[in-house]
Amino acid sequence: MLGRGLCLGQRPWPRVIKFFCYFLFTKSSASFLYAAIRFQVWCPKVPLYFPAALRQMSPMRTAILLFPGINRERDMAIAVRQSFGAEPKMVWHKETDLTGIDLVIIPGGFSFGDYLRCGAMAAQSPIMRAVKDHAARGGYVLGVCNGFQILTEAGLLPGALLRNASLRFLSMDAQLKVERNDTVFTAKYAKGAVFRAPLAHGDGNYTADTATLDRLEGENLVAFRYADGNRNGSARDIAGIYSPNLRILGLMPHPEDLVDPLLGGTDGKPLFDSLAAA
Amino acid sequence: MKKVDAALAKSFGLNAEEYAKVLEIMGRTPSLTELGIFSVMWSEHCSYKSSRVWLKELPTKAPWVIHGPGENAGVIDIGEGMAAIFKMESHNHPSFIEPYQGAATGVGGILRDVFTMGARPIANLNALRFGDPALPVTKRVVDGVVRGIGGYGNCVGVPTVGGEVNFHPAYNGNPLVNAMTVGIAAQDKIFLSAAAGIGNPVVYIGSKTGRDGIHGATMASTEFDASSEEKRPTVQVGDPFTEKLLIEACLELMQTDAIVAIQDMGAAGLTSSSVEMAGKGGVGIELILDDVPQRETGMTAYEMMLSESQERMLLVLKPERTEMARAIIEKWDLDYAIIGHITDTGRIVVKHKGAVEADILLAPLADAAPLYRRPIAETPKPAPLGPVHSDMKLGDALLKLIASPDLCSRRWIFDQYDSTVGGQTVKRPAQADAAIVRLEGTKRALALTTDCTPRYCVADPEAGGAQAVVEAWRNISATGATPLAITDNMNFGNPEKPEIMGQFAAAIKGMAAACTALDFPVVSGNVSLYNETEGKGILPTPAIGAVGVIEDAAKAVGLALKPDHDLIVIGASKGELGRSLWLREILGQETGAPPAIDLAAERRNGEFVRAQILSGKVAACHDVSDGGLLVAVAEMALAGDAGVDLTAPETSHAFWFGEEQARYVLSVESAQDRAALLAAAAQAGIPAVEIGRANGNGKLTHSDTVAISLPQLREAHERFFPSWFAL
């Protein structure tokens, strides 16, 4: 795997469906054999008695969006793979189709170099039209760090992320308080629980007008708050917020970078386990 | 158009003798572009004309070395079919003129050296030396350099996992910024720069060429003076976003079979990349500059050949693969242009607007490059330190030392560097003696460090050179990893001064001895000379970047001490205070001889410690270096948030602050482990002494000489940088 370019489209789902189509609509045994062989070639890791294997897979079909300058897509893929037991689909920003996807993840990084404004240019990419349609259909969206910034720039979440109050990049662990645990993102956390997640951002200072902040709090849409000091200056210690239907989550810290005891802990894993169980 | 003559050559950095050689090779007066090509290729920076005779003394071979010096970066076998590709490089002069961009482009340049060979960069480190913190300029430089390293490294998405920082007035006008990148590739997918295939297209990818950085390599080959500020236009401007695209585009293209050869455009830009690619391949090259993507209008051939615009690569492609390559490069929104082809003439021919702007036979350009065995004056051996005494209590001395700029916490710095991106950082900055970065999809990890103690080097360059190598080796061993190879970044003053060349030669001698004794070859490196301002040289600084490997990352240990664990010192404590930080910070002296280097003891003790760590008996480990034993214990206590009751009877400053080498502090969890470890040490004839036990009451104590609470210790350790930058 190392040293290779991005692994695109390794998710076996469409192949499975294609295979079923073959099986259902062809009568000849030769065709069946052909289809079976093709399936094995496509997905050597899924044995032919695949229904059993399929049952173990997460029902959450996931796409990780790739914008130029995104750099935490590998971290995110590792976390998804670990909790979901399935390979996420990596989707280039110039694509326009998210059909069949349940969960869209926009990972961290510096899309388009953070030039102009963090997330501003990515919000205009072709794939964002599909993300908006996906959200309108009630699909799940997770935006982390630059992903959160892109979601606010795209108008899918309110507010904006300004330069950190210190005007310096912040790279350290922060403690996050779980404001509610009745969402698909946080079901595996206890309400009020505090967990650790790495920060890595220059622009994480969450800002919105007072009315918006009051509405977020009034409608219980604050997902996480900084529990051990507000390093970036965010309004009301907000680290992450939900959309009104609780299906879109944006947050600045990186739960995907703390899913392995060897890397310092698994505090971020319940978020992905929650999604896997949804 | 400027008239080409000896005077112009001199302003380009070529002396009369060198210019005469140019005339002889050309058989005529060279064109401006030709003179530019000669001057950059023969600059100290590109030709290593003063250092080459000495660099040959360094050991560069071992069974695990795949490519040693001579390629863009060193390549070593790290097991499971993988290779680590790494190098360290200086960006000293630009970082003083324009700290942010100087440091940022330093990171960008070293990244390109590594990914041009086919590696995905997985870690950055940096070795920094700054002047006196009391000077306002130092603060400005520190701030700019740290922001620059972070600004570039964070954006490209390569974690910055380690490094070192020293302060000394000798760097007042000449800070050192040495950046190291480590990348990973499959051993059968390593790309080299030797051009081949007559007629093959020469392809330019990346950013457009502008007028920035023209003659940067020449600037890096002269001393600084009051007019250096005027050289700001020679500092390049970095764009980490483009670099990120370039990394992904190159790695994607490298998955195909399109590439014959690839080389980044670093110092001396298009000139050095084209000359080196053709030269290494023993072929010729013809460039049509009209086709070079240009950022500015009206650029001349001279300007394009000498530009050091960043984020550019030069490739030789298979002709039938150019359209596929174009599609990949353009997918990443980068410029792609065929700007020439490989010829069989052995010449570099540069055409622009229908005219031949340069036509030079390549062999003499490389072979006849100046090579100097400059006169050397040996550094007199320092007199050993006489008796010294301080009435200060041990505890007070510790608080003073640990708060000093050279020993205080670097948190303020590394909190600005993304150390976790990539999701493989097992030990982050300050968690272990070496950073531990796992190889994705495996249990295996690399251990990475940079080291050098310039105050030793100035006193005794040979001992200092050896010490830099052994400390790097020790830092890797202290995590449980096996040290494999190093990259060296030789930062020295003006080589035309015999005492400076004497320092250089002696440092090489010390390094070579240490590398040989430890089976720790040099696989890549960089030389930065003329680090002088107003005639004053820096401390000789042979910075070492080292790479080790550990088969199971879960076995790596860090510094963090846990309550109720016992502390054991491995290695002989003799109380050597010459050139120690204690001597400088407590008594205000920089005198005496640095600690003695015993290479056999280093190897024996290090191999013992590593074996004990891998057998699972060791809970935490820290090498003893700057500040000595008590500082090492205090750092372990802070890392683990545990107090320590020191039980060793010694109360002398020499015992607790001496900096003798080949020592480690280990902690063990159980009485059983302690007994087994002490027995093993006794059997191996290795000194091992219990010095104390960690406690849960948050206090560092020793008889009536030390009584410090952890919060007090932490406040002292963390104070310097935040308070400096709060002003």
Side-chain angles (χ1 to χ4, degrees):
Chain A
M1 293 297 288
L2 291 153
R4 288 208 347 221
L6 297 165
C7 299
L8 296 171
Q10 290 195 345
R11 187 173 53 83
W13 272 99
R15 292 151 192 174
V16 174
I17 294 161
K18 271 186 197 167
F19 169 70
F20 271 117
C21 294
Y22 255 116
F23 184 49
L24 292 173
F25 301 114
T26 59
K27 287 172 189 146
S28 102
S29 59
S31 291
F32 172 78
L33 195 61
Y34 173 70
I37 291 167
R38 283 296 296 271
F39 179 66
Q40 275 288 277
V41 170
W42 283 325
C43 298
K45 282 182 182 164
V46 179
L48 265 181
Y49 49 91
F50 56 88
L54 289 179
R55 275 199 300 276
Q56 292 162 11
M57 284 187 180
S58 162
M60 196 70 95
R61 292 165 299 183
T62 306
I64 294 179
L65 305 192
L66 300 177
F67 299 89
I70 285 292
N71 62 28
R72 262 182 164 81
E73 74 281 1
R74 298 160 76 85
D75 315 37
M76 190 61 81
I78 290 167
V80 166
R81 209 177 286 139
Q82 185 187 68
S83 286
F84 292 28
E87 198 66 27
K89 182 179 183 186
M90 305 306 249
V91 178
W92 184 237
H93 73 115
K94 287 186 179 167
E95 292 183 36
T96 54
D97 184 18
L98 289 168
T99 310
I101 294 296
D102 302 312
L103 169 64
V104 172
I105 300 181
I106 311 181
F110 290 70
S111 59
F112 297 93
D114 276 359
Y115 299 144
L116 187 57
R117 254 189 343 264
C118 300
M121 287 194 268
Q124 307 303 321
S125 270
I127 193 65
M128 289 309 291
R129 165 56 46 202
V131 175
K132 286 176 184 168
D133 292 345
H134 169 82
R137 287 194 300 268
Y140 298 113
V141 182
L142 170 63
V144 175
C145 199
N146 200 207
F148 185 15
Q149 294 161 345
I150 293 168
L151 291 177
T152 62
E153 285 288 344
L156 287 167
L157 288 172
L161 284 310
L162 306 184
R163 290 298 307 279
N164 294 339
S166 64
L167 303 183
R168 291 187 187 278
F169 193 90
L170 292 171
S171 170
M172 71 268 296
D173 286 352
Q175 301 287 344
L176 304 185
K177 180 164 171 263
V178 179
E179 293 291 315
R180 59 190 293 176
N181 72 339
D182 58 346
T183 76
V184 290
F185 300 97
T186 54
K188 300 272 182 183
Y189 288 106
K191 182 171 185 295
V194 172
F195 71 101
R196 196 157 53 94
L199 303 181
H201 60 247
D203 303 73
N205 182 352
Y206 183 74
T207 305
D209 58 49
T210 306
T212 304
L213 292 170
D214 288 345
R215 180 178 63 79
L216 285 171
E217 300 204 282
E219 295 176 16
N220 200 7
L221 298 179
V222 176
F224 308 110
R225 282 183 218 264
Y226 298 110
D228 64 335
N230 180 346
R231 296 172 177 85
N232 55 23
S234 288
R236 303 186 193 183
D237 300 339
I238 290 173
I241 57 171
Y242 294 112
S243 61
N245 69 359
L246 301 175
R247 285 166 175 249
I248 304 176
L249 168 63
L251 75 163
M252 285 312 298
H254 292 279
E256 76 277 17
D257 277 321
L258 219 47
V259 296
D260 183 343
L262 195 53
L263 272 65
T266 56
D267 279 27
K269 191 165 180 293
L271 189 140
F272 297 94
D273 289 346
S274 303
L275 285 165
Chain B
M1 186 67 103
K2 283 177 188 156
K3 184 171 176 289
V4 175
D5 56 15
L8 185 66
K10 186 156 186 282
S11 76
F12 279 14
L14 291 173
N15 65 29
E17 193 189 332
E18 289 165 350
Y19 182 60
K21 209 182 266 183
V22 171
L23 290 177
E24 187 191 319
I25 291 170
M26 295 303 295
R28 59 175 165 81
T29 302
S31 70
L32 181 68
T33 305
E34 287 166 341
L35 182 68
I37 292 172
F38 272 101
S39 69
V40 293
M41 292 311 296
W42 288 6
S43 70
E44 189 68 60
H45 191 83
C46 293
S47 73
Y48 296 86
K49 58 191 170 191
S50 302
S51 58
R52 254 189 303 161
V53 294
W54 296 106
L55 296 173
K56 280 190 292 197
E57 314 274 312
L58 292 168
T60 59
K61 291 194 165 60
W64 52 88
V65 174
I66 297 172
H67 291 291
E71 294 300 333
N72 281 302
V75 183
I76 57 170
D77 180 351
I78 51 169
E80 297 183 40
M82 290 179 290
I85 301 184
F86 64 99
K87 187 179 174 184
M88 180 153 54
E89 196 164 76
S90 63
H91 232 213
N92 304 335
H93 294 80
S95 298
F96 182 59
I97 299 172
E98 167 51 50
Y100 184 98
Q101 290 298 342
T105 53
V107 174
I110 194 63
L111 279 164
R112 284 191 296 282
D113 274 336
V114 166
F115 73 75
T116 193
M117 297 193 73
R120 176 173 286 281
I122 63 160
N124 280 333
L125 296 93
N126 50 81
L128 311 175
R129 321 281 161 187
F130 300 114
D132 182 353
L135 297 180
V137 64
T138 304
K139 189 170 157 183
R140 181 182 71 88
V141 171
V142 170
D143 187 42
V145 165
V146 170
R147 283 181 192 275
I149 290 171
Y152 207 98
N154 298 342
C155 183
V156 293
V158 176
T160 302
V161 296
E164 56 174 343
V165 184
N166 290 151
F167 293 91
H168 194 281
Y171 302 107
N172 278 350
N174 200 126
L176 303 185
V177 174
N178 297 171
M180 173 174 171
T181 292
V182 184
I184 299 297
Q187 284 175 23
D188 57 359
K189 276 278 189 186
I190 290 166
F191 290 81
L192 303 179
S193 57
I198 308 307
N200 276 351
V202 174
V203 172
Y204 170 120
I205 66 170
S207 287
K208 293 185 188 343
T209 296
R211 290 194 172 94
D212 48 335
I214 291 173
H215 262 306
T218 311
M219 175 191 74
S221 306
T222 52
E223 282 186 37
F224 268 16
D225 53 34
S227 71
S228 294
E229 190 68 9
E230 293 167 13
K231 291 179 177 167
R232 277 168 73 109
T234 58
V235 177
Q236 317 85 333
V237 176
D239 176 3
F241 170 58
T242 301
E243 180 100 335
K244 170 68 174 165
L245 302 183
L246 199 53
I247 293 174
E248 300 301 340
C250 285
L251 292 178
E252 190 172 332
L253 188 57
M254 284 163 171
Q255 291 302 308
T256 72
D257 64 347
I259 298 174
V260 176
I262 177 167
Q263 165 90 31
D264 67 301
M265 292 191 223
L270 194 49
T271 294
S272 68
S273 54
S274 57
V275 167
E276 281 174 22
M277 289 179 86
K280 278 186 185 165
V283 294
I285 190 166
E286 181 172 314
L287 300 177
I288 311 292
L289 296 185
D290 308 74
D291 298 330
V292 168
Q294 294 160 48
R295 200 171 62 217
E296 298 170 54
T297 53
M299 288 188 72
T300 63
Y302 167 80
E303 289 169 331
M304 277 187 266
M305 290 304 288
L306 278 279
S307 164
E308 290 191 6
S309 290
Q310 299 288 292
E311 293 93 23
R312 303 178 299 160
M313 309 285 271
L314 199 63
L315 289 71
V316 177
L317 296 182
K318 293 179 184 167
E320 68 276 17
R321 293 283 184 269
T322 52
E323 281 316 302
M324 180 193 65
R326 176 190 294 277
I328 290 172
I329 300 307
E330 289 182 350
K331 171 190 154 192
W332 290 99
D333 296 329
L334 295 167
D335 271 296
Y336 171 102
I338 296 175
I339 62 163
H341 61 274
I342 298 301
T343 65
D344 60 358
T345 60
R347 308 182 74 86
I348 175 166
V349 176
V350 178
K351 294 181 179 168
H352 189 219
K353 295 184 175 166
V356 174
E357 293 286 345
D359 183 354
I360 307 172
L361 198 55
L362 284 164
L365 181 58
D367 302 343
L371 181 63
Y372 298 126
R373 180 174 280 272
R374 296 191 186 274
I376 61 169
E378 275 183 35
T379 306
K381 284 283 172 195
L385 185 68
V388 287
H389 176 75
S390 166
D391 286 329
M392 204 182 262
K393 278 192 151 194
L394 275 182
D396 294 337
L398 171 64
L399 283 175
K400 186 163 185 200
L401 271 173
I402 210 157
S404 68
D406 269 5
L407 277 177
C408 71
S409 166
R410 272 70 179 114
R411 182 175 309 285
W412 179 88
I413 295 176
F414 63 70
D415 274 358
Q416 299 182 54
Y417 299 156
D418 188 344
S419 56
T420 53
V421 61
Q424 302 298 332
T425 310
V426 177
K427 298 285 183 205
R428 301 186 204 172
Q431 290 185 344
D433 277 3
I436 304 289
V437 181
R438 192 174 53 188
L439 308 178
E440 191 177 333
T442 75
K443 289 165 73 181
R444 198 170 279 261
L446 297 185
L448 311 168
T449 183
T450 69
D451 291 288
C452 182
T453 313
R455 64 179 190 280
Y456 296 169
C457 298
V458 72
D460 182 343
E462 184 177 344
Q467 195 276 339
V469 174
V470 300
E471 188 175 345
W473 191 83
R474 220 157 50 217
N475 278 330
I476 289 176
S477 298
T479 64
T482 303
L484 291 177
I486 64 171
T487 176
D488 61 349
N489 201 150
M490 309 292 289
N491 307 274
F492 289 77
N494 182 345
E496 295 160 40
K497 296 179 183 169
E499 62 273 21
I500 300 290
M501 256 347 269
Q503 291 173 341
F504 190 90
I508 292 276
K509 191 175 171 197
M511 287 164 57
C515 289
T516 304
L518 300 172
D519 283 328
F520 204 27
V522 180
V523 296
S524 59
N526 168 245
V527 177
S528 172
L529 300 175
Y530 297 95
N531 287 291
E532 303 209 354
T533 300
E534 307 285 349
K536 280 195 286 190
I538 56 162
L539 302 185
T541 310
I544 302 297
V547 174
V549 70
I550 185 163
E551 281 179 31
D552 182 355
K555 288 188 173 169
V557 298
L559 304 183
L561 188 59
K562 291 280 167 296
D564 303 324
H565 289 197
D566 289 313
L567 286 166
I568 296 168
V569 179
I570 300 295
S573 299
K574 299 172 213 154
E576 293 181 68
L577 286 170
R579 298 284 164 170
S580 66
L581 281 179
W582 178 88
L583 190 65
R584 192 177 87 191
E585 297 297 323
I586 305 295
L587 296 188
Q589 296 180 26
E590 295 184 60
T591 52
I597 305 290
D598 178 343
L599 294 172
E602 282 290 351
R603 181 160 187 153
R604 190 173 60 237
N605 296 359
E607 287 179 348
F608 174 79
V609 166
R610 194 180 320 124
Q612 297 303 315
I613 293 170
L614 294 179
S615 74
K617 288 197 276 293
V618 177
C621 181
H622 190 8
D623 89 309
V624 180
S625 53
D626 283 349
L629 195 48
L630 193 51
V631 167
V633 170
E635 287 170 347
M636 293 176 78
L638 288 172
D641 222 4
V644 178
D645 296 311
L646 293 166
T647 53
E650 288 84 354
T651 56
S652 74
H653 285 238
F655 177 81
W656 289 106
F657 298 117
E659 295 181 1
E660 45 291 13
Q661 303 290 297
R663 292 188 301 161
Y664 303 77
V665 181
L666 312 182
S667 74
V668 291
E669 184 174 359
S670 66
Q672 208 179 344
D673 285 343
R674 183 189 58 195
L677 196 140
L678 291 173
Q683 197 177 10
I686 288 170
V689 179
E690 288 182 73
I691 55 161
R693 176 161 232 212
N695 66 50
N697 63 29
K699 274 201 172 134
L700 179 63
T701 66
H702 184 261
S703 58
D704 60 349
T705 60
V706 184
I708 305 171
S709 73
L710 275 184
Q712 196 184 357
L713 191 63
R714 195 177 302 285
E715 193 281 326
H717 193 226
E718 299 282 350
R719 183 195 312 139
F720 172 71
F721 279 103
S723 60
W724 194 26
F725 281 92
L727 297 173

